[in-house]
Amino acid sequence: MNRLTGLTLTLVLAMVLAFPIFTGCGGKPSATPTEQELPEILDNAALAVQNASSYKFLIDTNTAFAANADSEVEDMSAKLKIAGTANVDDSEMQLIYDIDLSGYLFEYQEGLEVLHGEVYVLADWTYQKTDMPGNDQWVKMLSDVSYDQYNVIVNELTLLDSPEKVEFIGFENVDGSECYVLKVTANLENTETWFTEHQMTADAIYWPEVEPYIGELNFTVWVAEDTSLINKMDAAMLIDFDNPADVPDFDTMTIGVVMEMTDYNEPVTITLPDEAKNAQEVT
């Protein structure tokens, strides 16, 4: 397996982790919440997501490196888009993803800059296909742990745990309803897994290497005032490499993730495409 294939599997098996899904906000807004009430709003939002029976989501991740003035390399970027449907009650999930590495300098095979793939996690089997030059075959593996591996909710919900700070920005109308808009400064102790899943680099950057350079991880969350369901999350992390000896080519690394959640608790059926029914079994 070449290194970029390993990257693809990492993005699918690991990065495809993370986000709640929600029906929009609703009703006339209440009075402005007090500072003491804000952590409770976040806790209730996480609980509401965990109790949802189904949902749909869109995740848009952008990782970028800014080269310093003395570097021989250019700015780099990588993008990942995921559209997903989760049937939580039956532990089933569909994921359709697109990976764009065209802005990333690497020494791997040509033709792998833009990748498209699909994943179907069903009761007994998990099916996967990634469109790559010379390899667009469906494969399947036993689903004993697949749902947890591909669950894109758990990772994002960790950002809601024990935040350093929660600020009330205001109310915002979303799809004709009112939501709390909260700015949250995450507890860095909860962000290692989040960083690992979203860094989107061909060569892994390990948490101890970047932790000293991380500024605040801030995110904004839209929470339904009447249902406590999350409608949207927008997260951003800035890493400022101020020691050239450690990272000689780049000044900064940024990770931005936007998640939109819809169709909470709606009836959903995950249907396997006909072309995947003859997938090759792998272990």
Side-chain angles (χ1 to χ4, degrees), residues 118-154:
E118 300 177 45
V119 177
Y120 292 82
V121 180
L122 303 179
D124 298 322
W125 295 93
T126 293
Y127 298 79
Q128 177 182 331
K129 181 183 77 166
T130 300
D131 294 331
M132 302 171 64
N135 182 14
D136 59 356
Q137 181 179 2
W138 282 93
V139 297
K140 67 179 183 179
M141 64 195 79
L142 289 174
S143 290
D144 50 350
V145 295
S146 295
Y147 183 80
D148 291 336
Q149 289 176 333
Y150 287 96
N151 188 336
V152 294
I153 297 175
V154 174

Side-chain angles (χ1 to χ4, degrees), residues 188 191-193 195-196 205-212 214 237:
L188 287 183
T191 60
E192 178 176 358
T193 299
F195 168 81
T196 302
I205 299 176
Y206 298 104
W207 181 252
E209 297 174 347
V210 300
E211 185 177 11
I214 291 178
M237 173 184 280

Side-chain angles (χ1 to χ4, degrees), residues 75-177:
D75 294 349
M76 301 192 301
S77 65
K79 299 178 181 179
L80 170 66
K81 294 182 181 292
I82 302 171
T85 301
N87 181 343
V88 180
D89 286 347
D90 295 333
S91 296
E92 295 184 343
M93 183 175 292
Q94 174 194 29
L95 298 170
I96 299 175
Y97 60 91
D98 292 280
I99 303 170
D100 184 352
L101 298 174
S102 58
Y104 188 85
L105 300 178
F106 53 86
E107 299 176 355
Y108 307 106
Q109 297 170 238
E110 293 184 1
L112 294 177
E113 294 91 345
V114 179
L115 303 173
H116 172 83
E118 300 177 45
V119 177
Y120 292 82
V121 180
L122 303 179
D124 298 322
W125 295 93
T126 293
Y127 298 79
Q128 177 182 331
K129 181 183 77 166
T130 300
D131 294 331
M132 302 171 64
N135 182 14
D136 59 356
Q137 181 179 2
W138 282 93
V139 297
K140 67 179 183 179
M141 64 195 79
L142 289 174
S143 290
D144 50 350
V145 295
S146 295
Y147 183 80
D148 291 336
Q149 289 176 333
Y150 287 96
N151 188 336
V152 294
I153 297 175
V154 174
N155 189 36
E156 300 309 318
L157 289 181
T158 60
L159 296 182
L160 303 182
D161 293 340
S162 304
E164 295 287 346
K165 186 177 182 181
V166 184
E167 300 174 72
F168 176 69
I169 303 301
F171 287 101
E172 184 174 325
N173 189 287
V174 178
D175 295 331
S177 303

Side-chain angles (χ1 to χ4, degrees), residues 206-227:
Y206 298 104
W207 181 252
E209 297 174 347
V210 300
E211 185 177 11
Y213 303 111
I214 291 178
E216 291 182 342
L217 169 57
N218 293 313
F219 65 97
T220 305
V221 57
W222 287 255
V223 179
E225 189 272 335
D226 62 341
T227 65

